[in-house]
Amino acid sequence: MGSWNKCKKNGVPFAAMAAVECGLVAMHTLYKAAHAKGLNYVYTTYSRILGSPLLFLLSFFFSRRGLPPFRMPVVYRIILLSVIGFLAKMCSYKGIEYSSPALASSISTLEPAFTYILAVLFRMEIIDLRSSTTQAKVIGTIVSISGALVAVLYKGPTILSSQSPKVSYHSLGMSQTNWAMGGFLLITDHLLSAAAHILQAHVLKMYPDELNVAFMYSLGVTIITIPVSFIVEQESSAWVLRPDITLATVVYSGFIGQAFSGAVHSCCLLLKGPLYTSIFKPLSIVIAAAASFIFLGDDLYLGSVVGGIILLLGFYAVLWGKAKEQQSMNCGSEKLGASTDAQSPLLRRHIEEKYVE
């Protein structure tokens, strides 16, 4: 029973985050193709309008009971979180428009470094270079980023030739791009996303209901997005969705990009912390390479394989460090409970509150 609970505690978040990254790579590719077909800024509005009610239903049926109401400090932080999330999404979409899904996956490797630095600055991660867990997290983060860079920068000889029909990237609108501007916007996106992870983790410490926080976060971004969309897109024809890839992209983004990823990120932030959620970003390089080989007819190159192996080694090191750290915290909690059993209830409560703080 204990091994099953341990497997569920570690395996379910891992599988969910891996599924989120697969879904986001597919969403970026769909968005790029739909943008070439005429999808404009209203995409963000429609996907948010679809995703927020789905998160509300999840929070209504599965949220925790008996929690206190939202207080103003929590509300203020969710408003700030919504602004940061809105700016991050805008930078993401415009960056993909100016560049490509491949560049978006490549630059996403910076997010773990951004998140780790911010987590240390805000004391959500502790640096003790004598600790094996800290060494594993630091080295693993560096190694995973290095592996992603190898996969991006080094092509190498062809290992396998795909039998699938090759898709012309010009059909995805990648011939007329501003890579410098796209790269800058994507870097800004991941810096803001790292800040959003840190702030959302802080909100979840104040109000530990992951689904309600995810819904309020999505609702806040939706409230900001709607008036901005009307300002940017004033022509009524821009709000008409044709029954083609543009409609499919909006529906997919609402379900996967907003509702599913929002719920999973919020749950994993509460369970595992911001570094855990961001360290999955480099996996998008491997996912994008595999998807391109299987579905787009791209050849598989040595650089992708070597970079993927290096990335996975670093990824495993970070997961090992986080697991050991959580195990130490659980042992500390058990020792605290054992040491306070024989004490008076008032003294035990004082010690527990001090420990939680």
Side-chain angles (χ1 to χ4, degrees):
M1 187 68 179
S3 60
W4 166 249
N5 289 333
K6 185 177 179 181
C7 178
K8 183 171 67 172
K9 191 173 183 179
N10 295 317
V12 171
F14 177 88
M17 284 301 305
V20 165
E21 289 305 315
C22 290
L24 291 180
V25 169
M27 187 185 74
H28 289 163
T29 305
L30 278 174
Y31 176 71
K32 186 67 181 180
H35 177 69
K37 296 288 186 179
L39 187 64
N40 48 38
Y41 192 83
V42 300
Y43 159 78
T44 58
T45 305
Y46 282 133
S47 61
R48 284 288 171 181
I49 290 175
L50 180 61
S52 293
L54 292 173
L55 281 171
F56 172 75
L57 291 176
L58 289 174
S59 66
F60 181 78
F61 287 108
F62 299 107
S63 64
R64 302 181 184 185
R65 307 301 179 190
L67 289 172
F70 273 84
R71 299 188 182 277
M72 291 312 296
V74 177
V75 174
Y76 293 148
R77 285 166 175 79
I78 288 179
I79 293 173
L80 177 60
L81 179 63
S82 301
V83 173
I84 295 174
F86 169 77
L87 294 175
K89 285 299 180 184
M90 292 304 99
C91 290
S92 174
Y93 295 142
K94 298 303 292 186
I96 294 172
E97 288 178 16
Y98 286 137
S99 56
S100 72
L103 184 63
S105 297
S106 304
I107 293 180
S108 69
T109 59
L110 296 174
E111 190 168 316
F114 289 151
T115 304
Y116 193 63
I117 292 170
L118 291 175
V120 171
L121 291 176
F122 287 95
R123 298 182 179 180
M124 302 186 82
E125 294 283 346
I126 300 174
I127 288 185
D128 181 9
L129 296 179
R130 296 171 297 178
S131 169
S132 59
T133 58
T134 299
Q135 292 172 0
K137 288 188 294 184
V138 173
I139 295 174
T141 301
I142 295 172
V143 170
S144 63
I145 293 173
S146 301
L149 291 176
V150 168
V152 172
L153 300 177
Y154 174 66
K155 190 173 184 179
T158 302
I159 297 178
L160 292 174
S161 295
S162 177
Q163 302 300 317
S164 303
K166 295 186 181 295
V167 176
S168 174
Y169 284 95
H170 295 287
S171 65
L172 300 183
M174 296 182 185
S175 58
Q176 297 177 353
T177 55
N178 187 336
W179 288 83
M181 178 60 71
F184 174 77
L185 288 172
L186 290 169
I187 290 172
T188 305
D189 160 41
H190 290 293
L191 179 58
L192 291 172
S193 297
H197 287 326
I198 298 298
L199 182 56
Q200 189 174 356
H202 180 66
V203 170
L204 287 167
K205 283 187 175 182
M206 300 175 64
Y207 193 87
D209 189 344
E210 53 272 31
L211 292 177
N212 256 326
V213 170
F215 164 65
M216 295 296 291
Y217 176 22
S218 180
L219 180 64
V221 177
T222 304
I223 292 172
I224 298 172
T225 301
I226 291 174
V228 174
S229 298
F230 277 108
I231 293 172
V232 174
E233 300 291 348
Q234 298 181 357
E235 296 183 5
S236 58
S237 60
W239 293 83
V240 178
L241 291 177
R242 294 184 299 274
D244 53 15
I245 193 171
T246 57
L247 180 60
T249 302
V250 168
V251 173
Y252 182 88
S253 177
F255 277 90
I256 303 300
Q258 310 301 332
F260 178 66
S261 67
V264 170
H265 275 144
S266 190
C267 292
C268 289
L269 279 171
L270 183 62
L271 290 173
K272 300 291 187 178
L275 180 61
Y276 183 88
T277 58
S278 65
I279 199 62
F280 280 81
K281 281 297 178 183
L283 277 180
S284 61
I285 299 292
V286 178
I287 296 169
S292 297
F293 174 75
I294 296 171
F295 300 109
L296 300 181
D298 287 349
D299 296 333
L300 186 63
Y301 296 97
L302 178 63
S304 299
V305 175
V306 173
I309 293 173
I310 297 173
L311 188 153
L312 291 176
L313 290 174
F315 180 73
Y316 174 78
V318 175
L319 293 183
W320 181 88
K322 292 296 291 182
K324 285 293 183 181
E325 184 179 67
Q326 193 167 24
Q327 185 179 5
S328 299
M329 291 174 63
N330 292 337
C331 290
S333 299
E334 292 175 1
K335 289 180 181 178
L336 175 68
S339 65
T340 56
D341 280 340
Q343 314 219 4
S344 66
L346 183 61
L347 180 59
R348 181 163 62 248
R349 180 181 176 186
H350 172 73
I351 294 175
E352 288 175 350
E353 290 177 351
K354 184 176 180 181
Y355 178 80
V356 170
E357 292 175 358

